[in-house]
Amino acid sequence: MVTLEQSRPAVKSKPQRRTIRADEVGVRTVVYGLILLGAAVVFVPFLWMLSTSLKQESQLFAYPPEWIPTPPQWHNYLDAWTALPFNRFLFNTVFMTILAMVAEVFTASIVAYGFARFRFPLRNTLFVVLLSTMMLPGILTLIPKFLMWREVNRIDTFTPLTVGAWFVWGPSFVFLLRQFFLTIPREIEEAAILDGANTFQIYRQIMLPLVKPALLAIGVLSFQANWNNFEGALIYLSTLEKYPMVLGLQFFGDSLSREAPKWHLMMAMATMMAAPILLLFFLAQRYFIEGLTVGGVKG
Amino acid sequence: MISWYAQTVIDYVVVGTVIVLAMLGIHKVLRKFGVGREAATGYALILPWIIGMLVWTIGPFLVSLFLSFTDYNVLQSPTWIGVDNYVEMFTDDRQFWSVLRFTLLYSLLNVPLGLFGALATATLLNQNVRGLGAWRTIYYLPAVLPAAATALLWRWMFASNGIFNFLFRPFYSLFDLEAPAWFTNPDLVLPGYIIMGLWGVFGANTVILLAGLKSIPRDLYDAAKVDGAGRFSQYVNITIPMLTPTIFYVLIIGVIASLQTFTQAFFIDHTRRAGTFMNVYIYQEAFERNRMGYASALGWVMLLIILLFTLLVFRSSAAWVYYEGERA
């Protein structure tokens, strides 16, 4: 199994016994200083989001800005949640995310297996076609897709946002998984074939367990993409009760608090929408980063 | 209400079953026609993608090309008007030019700035710093935040009474300026988007470039040291050339993504005229003004622009991207 850490033997630098020169200390200080500065720039907006979400409306524009609201208004979260039917929005989001994610991961792994392990005429040409479809702007095919779903009466249903995933939504997932399948030695399968295993058994019992890190990587990426899918929801859904959370967030900002933006409630909603993704990131950080870097480094 | 979900679950199961049956079927048919076992299995396995490509990519692609030569408001059937949409776009539509200019400027500034910033940060993080994992997590956080939340957060920070203007208050009073709302001020909307875009993507680029830096074999540096190369010379002659494939990847992904900015822009404010992105404009024409034909024509122009940019990067890559050994 190839992971970022394992792909390269760790080269431990020799214990630094030599005396550290003065300019070396200077360089280290500058390096850490800059890294810390960058981290602050990245992190402060998050703190501001949290801080705002716990403020009273009257504290929003206080000068100088208050970073720690006293007392913290925890009920903002409840207020935001009940301002719109967010229980239902959450259910819709989870419903669509799970259906789409399962189909997407399943088909991407099968197609990747096909491209990685079987020789057939036109294989390389087809793979180049697959890669080049990644570059097509989604907006171009959006209008015809909308018209097609309209033909079969599926506008304002969850179907366009879930069922399409059976047809390999993310060519990049196929690419990523294929890279992983290619690293598995062929001997493992050949032994299984001699034992009389069929293609499905080999795929299910031997290949899938071996590429589990990659499956988890595309799993989290797919979860993230579907959880945040705004463009599709915006175009296909029009009944408020069918909205996912991201559309509820937009609806709140756009119509309910247009004149006097209720920033404290919007920040509370944004935090709640982001929370599951951030949590997933902390739990499965390795897979996020693996999914992100495989194209750039191993490609 | 239950029926909404039931209907989708039924659609989902039916389509899933049909695909699996089609895979088994194509395998049988191909075997009958004398195709070898391995090839038949291969075709069967990639079938979901083939169907998807034909039905959801190639088909819509052709339909969209056709629509771009028509006038179509969804209610009446499309009428052929030749190249009128394209003529209107280039001669009559003042908003098209401002949208195009804005989208291109954003991309041309955002991508290089993000790349250099990320390269500098990745280089810093590659200096054997302590707690690398923690730093990497912090830098990557903005990329995990949903685009919708990012946009709302920055809209709030850039509001006329937001935190950014608080920081600049002494500066404003010095020049007797009024605190601007960045995203509604025509002069500040571009810098506003660029700052937000950099914050969002720069950490992800840093993580990719850092992985690239870590995969450069150490013996190259050892050899250079023996030859007496200094730090700077090592960086220019080893690090940068070895990193060019990763830089190339970041560049391509960056160009494609930034030209297609949608969600952030929609959440900032999609109703005002200054600082509209191309994808938002296409959405407005198609789904708010029901001009499907015109929107399709805009989409095609967008596609050509993206192709042009990617082609430029690809063609130039021969001159600057270094692939170690020609991997067979």
Side-chain angles (χ1 to χ4, degrees), chain A residues 33-284:
Chain A
L34 287 174
I35 291 176
L36 196 66
L37 182 72
V41 169
V42 165
F43 202 64
V44 165
F46 280 96
L47 293 180
W48 189 237
M49 179 163 93
L50 277 180
S51 161
T52 306
S53 74
L54 294 172
K55 280 180 183 170
Q56 288 172 0
E57 200 164 358
S58 60
Q59 292 173 303
L60 285 178
F61 309 116
Y63 185 79
E66 291 172 54
W67 283 90
I68 299 169
T70 43
Q73 308 290 314
W74 295 106
H75 64 83
N76 280 351
Y77 282 82
L78 196 67
D79 292 354
W81 194 260
T82 48
L84 285 172
F86 264 96
N87 277 332
R88 183 162 283 276
F89 295 169
L90 175 64
F91 181 78
N92 295 340
T93 311
V94 171
F95 177 75
M96 289 191 275
T97 301
I98 289 181
L99 288 189
M101 186 176 77
V102 169
E104 208 167 17
V105 172
F106 175 71
T107 45
S109 71
I110 291 183
V111 173
Y113 184 46
F115 273 118
R117 272 303 194 259
F118 296 86
R119 269 162 306 193
F120 47 87
L122 290 179
R123 181 179 67 168
N124 292 341
T125 315
L126 286 172
F127 194 67
V128 169
V129 172
L130 179 121
L131 291 184
S132 51
T133 56
M134 282 202 266
M135 284 170 206
L136 292 179
I139 195 98
L140 191 68
T141 51
L142 200 63
I143 295 168
K145 277 185 204 164
F146 175 84
L147 298 172
M148 282 158 78
W149 285 117
R150 204 167 139 270
E151 269 323 291
V152 290
N153 269 325
R154 289 296 185 274
I155 296 303
D156 201 22
T157 72
F158 305 112
T159 302
L161 298 159
T162 51
V163 172
W166 283 118
F167 301 97
V168 187
W169 258 341
S172 56
F173 292 166
V174 175
F175 174 70
L176 196 151
L177 278 170
R178 177 180 165 272
Q179 299 292 95
F180 268 81
F181 278 124
L182 288 177
T183 63
I184 297 171
R186 271 182 183 273
E187 290 79 38
I188 297 182
E189 287 156 277
E190 276 155 13
I193 293 171
L194 287 181
D195 290 345
N198 64 32
T199 306
F200 181 73
Q201 284 166 332
I202 294 172
Y203 163 78
R204 172 77 194 73
Q205 288 164 14
I206 297 171
M207 298 308 268
L208 277 192
L210 285 175
V211 293
K212 213 170 116 203
L215 281 182
L216 287 168
I218 67 164
V220 290
L221 292 177
S222 162
F223 181 88
Q224 189 187 16
N226 286 301
W227 187 273
N228 296 337
N229 181 359
F230 173 67
E231 201 168 318
L234 178 72
I235 283 156
Y236 291 116
L237 300 175
S238 48
T239 308
L240 184 75
E241 284 77 21
K242 292 177 187 169
Y243 282 7
M245 288 180 71
V246 64
L247 217 51
L249 192 64
Q250 201 269 334
F251 183 78
F252 185 85
D254 221 38
S255 36
L256 294 188
S257 71
R258 177 127 209 99
E259 294 310 319
K262 300 199 179 347
W263 290 114
H264 52 307
L265 296 186
M266 279 202 257
M267 288 301 110
M269 282 181 180
T271 309
M272 287 189 285
M273 200 203 139
I277 300 283
L278 292 176
L279 187 71
L280 184 69
F281 172 62
F282 284 116
L283 293 176

Side-chain angles (χ1 to χ4, degrees), chain B residues 58-135:
Chain B
I58 306 280
F61 206 66
L62 298 175
V63 171
S64 138
L65 183 62
F66 165 75
L67 284 178
S68 78
F69 294 107
T70 66
D71 184 18
Y72 184 38
N73 64 1
V74 189
L75 301 174
Q76 284 132 351
S77 50
T79 40
W80 183 266
I81 54 168
V83 292
D84 281 11
N85 283 329
Y86 294 94
V87 172
E88 182 190 339
M89 198 185 307
F90 288 110
T91 59
D92 214 21
D93 185 352
R94 302 237 337 253
Q95 210 193 339
F96 167 74
W97 289 107
S98 84
V99 168
L100 183 64
R101 187 171 154 271
F102 185 78
T103 311
L104 291 181
L105 269 179
Y106 172 76
S107 224
L108 288 177
L109 291 168
N110 190 50
V111 174
L113 284 175
L115 185 62
F116 284 117
L119 187 58
T121 317
T123 307
L124 285 174
L125 287 175
N126 200 32
Q127 305 300 313
N128 283 324
V129 293
R130 280 164 187 275
L132 179 63
W135 294 119

Side-chain angles (χ1 to χ4, degrees), chain B residues 229-306:
Chain B
R231 260 194 193 174
F232 182 73
S233 153
Q234 285 176 31
Y235 192 73
V236 172
N237 295 315
I238 299 174
T239 311
I240 296 289
M242 292 299 288
L243 199 61
T244 45
T246 314
I247 293 177
F248 174 68
Y249 174 79
V250 170
L251 205 58
I252 289 277
I253 300 285
V255 168
I256 293 176
S258 66
L259 285 173
Q260 299 189 62
T261 306
F262 181 83
T263 304
Q264 290 97 320
F266 205 91
F267 267 82
I268 295 293
D269 191 350
H270 67 290
T271 49
R272 99 207 105 59
R273 279 187 99 77
T276 305
F277 280 93
M278 193 55 118
N279 271 13
V280 175
Y281 185 50
I282 296 175
Y283 167 83
Q284 289 172 336
E285 287 294 320
F287 296 99
E288 287 176 2
R289 304 192 192 107
N290 279 334
R291 301 182 65 200
M292 297 285 183
Y294 191 62
S296 299
L298 287 171
W300 272 86
V301 170
M302 197 62 204
L303 170 71
L304 293 180
I305 290 170
I306 291 177

Side-chain angles (χ1 to χ4, degrees), chain A residues 21-43:
Chain A
R21 294 187 319 240
D23 63 325
E24 191 81 353
V25 174
V27 168
R28 299 307 281 175
T29 314
V30 171
V31 165
Y32 278 104
L34 287 174
I35 291 176
L36 196 66
L37 182 72
V41 169
V42 165
F43 202 64

